[in-house]
């Protein structure tokens, strides 16, 4: 799995490349003033994001960075929101060696804070701010939320297996040796035993945080961040 992660380093910026750096071909601009965006060229109803000052306060991005990201976001997603299918298509472009649909689904859920089935620009930059510039605790909290699929505050072995299996499926032929269902189960068994310190059969947030802080290899082995940024 180590070689796979090294290769994935070259893909870490898929979100920013796909949603932040494409040139804008319309006259839409974000941050030209403190008001919402008016885009008269498009024929569909626009989602209008919060003012840039609010996003500056709530994220770790500068005004200029937010302007660039918004232009790219609107170029890729003219309606101002990203649905899950579009998100999966973007992911698939940068992980063509395997099937990224399951993992993209789980990552999408962590960005979709209001659970309405779409990601707004605010949700996008809030999540990206944590992943790219957040503290270790903030990033580990994000990772815990990723693995806590049903959002009940604990990670079960089945939930961890679902995420790890999705990562393996996404890596595809980049994993050497090729992994199978048994490999994923064995990997989860090893990690789960280390994290479940009180042996109650589930992993709490505290156990997750403590184990990841103490053992960098666990964080790397779970491919927590390499498959997102």
């Amino acid at each position: 799995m180590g070689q796979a992660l090294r290769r994935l380093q070259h893909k870490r910026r898929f979100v920013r490349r796909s949603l932040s750096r494409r040139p804008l071909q319309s006259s839409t601009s974000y941050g030209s003033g403190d008001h919402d965006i008016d885009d008269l060229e498009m024929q569909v109803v626009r989602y209008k994001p919060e003012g840039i000052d609010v996003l500056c306060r709530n994220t770790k991005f500068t005004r200029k960075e937010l302007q660039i990201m918004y232009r790219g976001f609107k170029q890729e997603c003219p309606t101002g929101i990203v649905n899950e299918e579009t998100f999966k298509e973007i992911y698939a472009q940068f992980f063509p060696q395997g099937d990224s649909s399951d993992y993209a689904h789980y990552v999408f859920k962590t960005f979709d804070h209001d659970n309405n089935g779409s990601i707004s620009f605010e949700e996008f930059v809030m999540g990206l701010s944590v992943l790219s510039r957040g503290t270790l605790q903030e990033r580990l909290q994000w990772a815990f939320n990723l693995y806590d699929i049903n959002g009940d505050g604990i990670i079960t072995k089945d939930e961890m297996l679902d995420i790890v299996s999705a990562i393996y499926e996404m890596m595809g032929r980049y994993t050497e040796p090729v992994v199978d269902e048994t490999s994923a189960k064995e990997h989860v068994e090893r990690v789960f035993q280390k994290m479940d310190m009180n042996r109650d059969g589930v992993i709490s947030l505290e156990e997750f945080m403590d184990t990841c802080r103490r053992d960098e290899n666990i964080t790397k082995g779970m491919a927590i961040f390499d498959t997102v940024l």
Side-chain angles (χ1 to χ4, degrees):
M1 196 167 179
Q3 185 171 354
L5 291 180
R6 285 194 296 274
R7 296 189 183 187
L8 282 171
Q9 294 291 336
H10 299 293
K11 301 174 181 289
R12 293 186 63 170
R13 306 189 187 282
F14 91 95
V15 176
R16 276 170 283 185
R17 284 184 295 180
S18 59
L19 294 182
S20 304
R21 293 184 177 177
R22 295 196 179 189
L24 186 65
Q25 296 177 354
S26 72
S27 61
T28 305
S29 62
Y30 184 69
S32 57
D34 294 329
H35 302 291
D36 291 337
I37 311 305
D38 288 323
D39 188 346
L40 301 178
E41 292 183 11
M42 307 302 290
Q43 300 300 313
V44 296
V45 175
R46 281 289 180 267
Y47 171 87
K48 296 184 178 181
E50 297 177 32
I52 192 169
D53 290 337
V54 175
L55 291 179
C56 282
R57 290 194 299 268
N58 292 337
T59 69
K60 299 181 181 181
F61 295 120
T62 65
R63 173 182 289 268
K64 183 174 181 179
E65 288 171 330
L66 288 167
Q67 290 171 343
I68 293 171
M69 284 191 287
Y70 186 72
R71 285 196 290 268
F73 190 90
K74 286 293 290 290
Q75 174 66 20
E76 186 69 32
C77 310
T79 61
I81 58 175
V82 183
N83 61 32
E84 185 169 338
E85 286 307 309
T86 301
F87 192 80
K88 287 180 178 179
E89 290 171 4
I90 294 170
Y91 240 102
Q93 293 174 28
F94 294 94
F95 295 93
Q97 72 280 356
D99 182 358
S100 62
S101 58
D102 285 346
Y103 189 70
H105 165 73
Y106 295 128
V107 174
F108 181 88
K109 287 179 60 179
T110 67
F111 277 81
D112 182 17
H113 295 297
D114 57 9
N115 298 311
N116 69 347
S118 62
I119 298 174
S120 66
F121 181 67
E122 289 85 359
E123 290 173 322
F124 168 67
V125 293
M126 291 289 285
L128 193 60
S129 176
V130 169
L131 286 167
S132 61
R133 297 180 182 176
T135 64
L136 176 61
Q137 181 169 341
E138 289 171 335
R139 296 171 73 214
L140 289 177
Q141 176 70 66
W142 183 93
F144 182 86
N145 294 340
L146 173 69
Y147 276 80
D148 178 19
I149 295 173
N150 66 1
D152 64 354
I154 55 175
I155 299 173
T156 66
K157 191 176 293 186
D158 285 342
E159 286 176 321
M160 183 176 288
L161 180 59
D162 285 345
I163 298 294
V164 171
S165 296
I167 291 172
Y168 279 158
E169 289 174 6
M170 179 173 62
M171 289 179 178
R173 61 176 179 270
Y174 278 172
T175 53
E176 297 178 7
V178 177
V179 296
D180 53 24
E181 184 177 351
T182 302
S183 302
K185 288 182 177 179
E186 291 174 350
H187 182 77
V188 166
E189 190 65 37
R190 290 194 301 271
V191 172
F192 202 90
Q193 287 300 317
K194 287 185 178 181
M195 287 192 165
D196 184 17
M197 292 183 284
N198 64 1
R199 299 295 183 264
D200 64 349
V202 297
I203 298 171
S204 66
L205 175 61
E206 183 179 1
E207 288 174 323
F208 184 87
M209 294 276 195
D210 288 347
T211 308
C212 288
R213 288 193 186 104
R214 287 187 289 103
D215 192 342
E216 272 189 15
N217 290 328
I218 289 183
T219 308
K220 292 177 181 177
M222 294 172 72
I224 289 175
F225 304 119
D226 298 274
T227 50
V228 180
L229 288 179

